[in-house]
Amino acid sequence: MTPLQIAIVGYGTAGQAAAVLLARDGHRVDVFERAPEPGPVGAGFLLQPTGLQVLWRMSLLDPALAHGARIDRLYGDTPCGRAVMDMRYAGLDARLCGVGMQRGALFSILDDARCDGVRLQAGITIAGPDIDNDRWLRDADGRRHGPFDLVLAADGAASRLRGQLGAVRRDAVYPWGALWCLLDAHDWPHLHELRQRYVAARRMIGLLPVGTRPGDATPRLSFFWSLPVAAFDGWQSAALDDWRQAVTAIWPEASRLLSSTTTHAQLARASYRDVTLTRWHRGRWVLLGDAAHAMSPQLGQGVNMALLDAEALRDALRAKSLPDALTTYARVRRRHVAMYQFWSRWLTPVFQSDRDLVAKARDVAFQPVGRLPGGRGHMLRVLSGTQHGLFGALPLAPAFVETLDRFGRTAGAPASAVAS
Ligand SMILES: Cc1cc2nc3c(=O)[nH]c(=O)nc-3n(C[C@H](O)[C@H](O)[C@H](O)COP(=O)(O)OP(=O)(O)OC[C@H]3O[C@@H](n4cnc5c(N)ncnc54)[C@H](O)[C@@H]3O)c2cc1C
């Protein structure tokens, strides 16, 4: 392989993972990140077996498991205790689990893995390719950077570069978003479960154990409060106590955890987009992560997809020369991503909208549909990130599954013990 001079725009999960993987293959990598002090944005996330397997292949699974929280079950109910969703990884394989992580933990793990072949340039916003020569990047101050053999646009869901590179079929902001923050786990009893509570689709609270992060041994939960994007400002100007009372009315146990949340600024706003492209690359530029396929977080897949994208691009560059490698990368990843985009598009209004009838149907039908022959397996494969196309499955290596199983046995009850 001829070493390439590669630029990466964006130092989120996709950019970080790509930087590590490509530098390890001997490429010279320059990362441009607009934040003056690069760091994690948001609270926590659920990593699925597919994303964990990428970390395993990068030899980064051990630090991830040292900080993350083992998640066996996804459970959602209504305030009167009616179960709406109850899925366990053990239904797919008793050795599998998800891992809840703080964004800061994954950021540090990937940042620590960055080697000398990567030069991180912070505080630079890339505006696009140079008009005359796409080997060069233009920044927002009009400076040129380059030349590069390959440019990875990993600038996130609100990508400015996507419109200049891919052919955008859909780029829509969801009308509903969320407020989220990290909370001290205190004596929260559900340390191996993502718990959600719903009032129709108008209210949704989520609590996900996300473990610790380097330099902070306090176990935490990622808290999620759903609301329309148009209501963000109204929430900000209303008294925090009124909002806390609304949380208490729906979920008193969750509300107790908010005792240290005393200002609006402690909760970050999140909005999400639904993005599909007809083309993922142009010339020497290629899109990765949310920039290529942003979706709502309903299925908890975005970080996994970012890791898988980075690995697929590295593999394509090992096997083929440019531009065939970019075509192969895009083909491989589109086949996997399409199913998740489909389901997140359909499921998001079922959990976040003002459609009361849809929510009623969800409360009645979600569990029975999950018990239909074929339905349960499909739901679990989508959850774990392993569904590939309509009928295929992404393989999980036996040695990786054994590692995950060992983690399960040391980090709480084995999945098989809680399997229904
Ligand atoms: C509320 C919420 C919950 C979520 N939960 C989960 C979950 O449970 N599991 C899961 O897998 N995923 C989850 N996700 C999705 C996940 O966060 C994203 O899919 C993932 O972070 C995307 O990574 P990325 O690297 O593509 O983009 P980002 O993390 O957004 O990184 C993009 C980077 O590019 C930089 N940048 C942007 N523009 C420029 C520019 N012009 N020049 C230079 N730098 C630039 C940004 O500053 C940023 O650092 C959730 C998302 C939200 C909002």
Side-chain angles (χ1 to χ4, degrees):
M1 231 182 354
T2 319
L4 300 174
Q5 192 75 45
I6 298 177
I8 300 179
V9 183
Y11 198 55
T13 305
Q16 283 191 293
V20 172
L21 287 165
L22 295 171
R24 283 182 183 176
D25 269 11
H27 301 295
R28 289 180 302 276
V29 179
D30 281 71
V31 182
F32 299 90
E33 164 57 49
R34 73 174 168 199
E37 285 175 29
V41 177
F45 57 84
L46 181 56
L47 257 186
Q48 305 296 351
T50 44
L52 291 165
Q53 181 168 245
V54 176
L55 293 178
W56 175 70
R57 287 196 284 248
M58 293 173 78
S59 304
L60 297 178
L61 186 60
D62 285 350
L65 298 184
H67 288 289
R70 177 194 173 93
I71 302 297
D72 292 317
R73 183 187 192 196
L74 280 64
Y75 181 83
D77 62 7
T78 62
C80 61
R82 177 188 191 132
V84 175
M85 173 181 73
D86 190 358
M87 295 201 285
R88 300 168 197 259
Y89 290 92
L92 198 59
D93 184 323
R95 298 164 301 169
L96 292 185
C97 64
V99 172
M101 287 194 81
Q102 295 187 32
R103 286 185 180 253
L106 185 62
F107 182 89
S108 299
I109 290 165
L110 290 169
D111 196 46
D112 288 349
R114 179 162 52 93
C115 55
D116 293 341
V118 180
R119 193 157 58 120
L120 175 58
Q121 303 188 52
I124 297 181
T125 302
I126 298 300
D130 193 73
I131 299 157
D132 302 324
N133 185 346
D134 74 351
R135 280 175 163 268
W136 291 80
L137 285 68
R138 247 181 322 110
D139 72 23
D141 296 324
R143 289 171 304 197
R144 292 169 89 224
H145 305 267
F148 295 102
D149 302 308
L150 174 64
V151 183
L152 279 48
D155 55 335
S159 170
R160 292 166 63 163
L161 302 175
R162 150 170 84 225
Q164 302 175 54
L165 310 174
V168 180
R169 179 187 285 153
R170 176 199 291 260
D171 183 354
V173 179
Y174 278 97
W176 286 58
L179 300 165
W180 55 336
C181 64
L182 289 172
L183 300 175
D184 194 325
H186 289 298
D187 53 356
W188 183 247
H190 311 292
L191 289 178
H192 299 292
E193 298 180 11
L194 164 65
R195 286 256 159 174
Q196 295 181 336
R197 182 148 295 176
Y198 322 110
V199 179
R202 291 171 186 268
R203 292 262 187 269
M204 172 173 162
I205 301 173
L207 276 168
L208 171 70
V210 287
T212 61
R213 65 171 175 263
D216 177 7
T218 312
R220 301 201 187 264
L221 303 167
S222 186
F223 172 88
F224 172 101
W225 169 265
S226 158
L227 82 173
V229 171
F232 278 156
D233 288 343
W235 174 83
Q236 184 87 31
S237 50
L240 204 61
D241 272 347
D242 293 350
W243 168 71
R244 220 194 311 265
Q245 273 170 26
V247 178
T248 308
I250 299 167
W251 202 355
E253 298 84 357
S255 170
R256 275 205 295 276
L257 298 168
L258 290 169
S259 57
S260 58
T261 311
T262 49
T263 64
H264 292 89
Q266 285 171 275
L267 288 122
R269 299 173 178 193
S271 60
Y272 9 103
R273 304 174 94 99
D274 181 13
V275 171
T276 49
L277 307 176
T278 54
R279 194 180 57 226
W280 286 32
H281 57 96
R282 199 168 91 186
R284 295 173 184 277
W285 288 58
V286 61
L287 291 150
L288 254 78
D290 276 7
H293 46 64
M295 57 186 100
S296 104
Q298 207 62 50
L299 293 172
Q301 297 290 334
V303 174
N304 297 277
M305 296 296 177
L307 292 167
L308 286 159
D309 286 357
E311 191 184 48
L313 182 62
R314 188 273 317 264
D315 290 347
L317 286 168
R318 278 181 179 177
K320 310 220 160 141
S321 54
L322 286 172
D324 286 350
L326 303 188
T327 310
T328 302
Y329 153 76
R331 193 187 62 242
V332 167
R333 292 304 300 138
R334 284 169 77 136
R335 279 194 57 210
H336 181 231
V337 159
M339 174 66 69
Y340 297 88
Q341 293 192 302
F342 171 83
W343 277 122
S344 56
R345 191 170 304 135
W346 280 96
L347 280 176
T348 300
V350 173
F351 288 90
Q352 292 191 272
S353 73
D354 48 14
R355 298 184 200 167
D356 294 338
L357 276 178
V358 171
K360 265 206 178 85
R362 172 200 70 192
D363 292 356
V364 174
F366 202 81
Q367 292 241 65
V369 168
R371 286 191 213 106
L372 289 175
R376 183 176 168 78
H378 180 76
M379 276 165 83
L380 288 167
R381 279 193 302 279
V382 170
L383 162 71
S384 65
T386 54
Q387 183 72 35
H388 194 244
L390 253 189
F391 303 110
L394 277 190
L396 296 175
F400 160 70
V401 175
E402 267 167 39
T403 309
L404 211 52
D405 189 31
R406 261 201 311 281
F407 165 65
R409 280 188 264 113
T410 51
S416 47
V418 294
S420 49

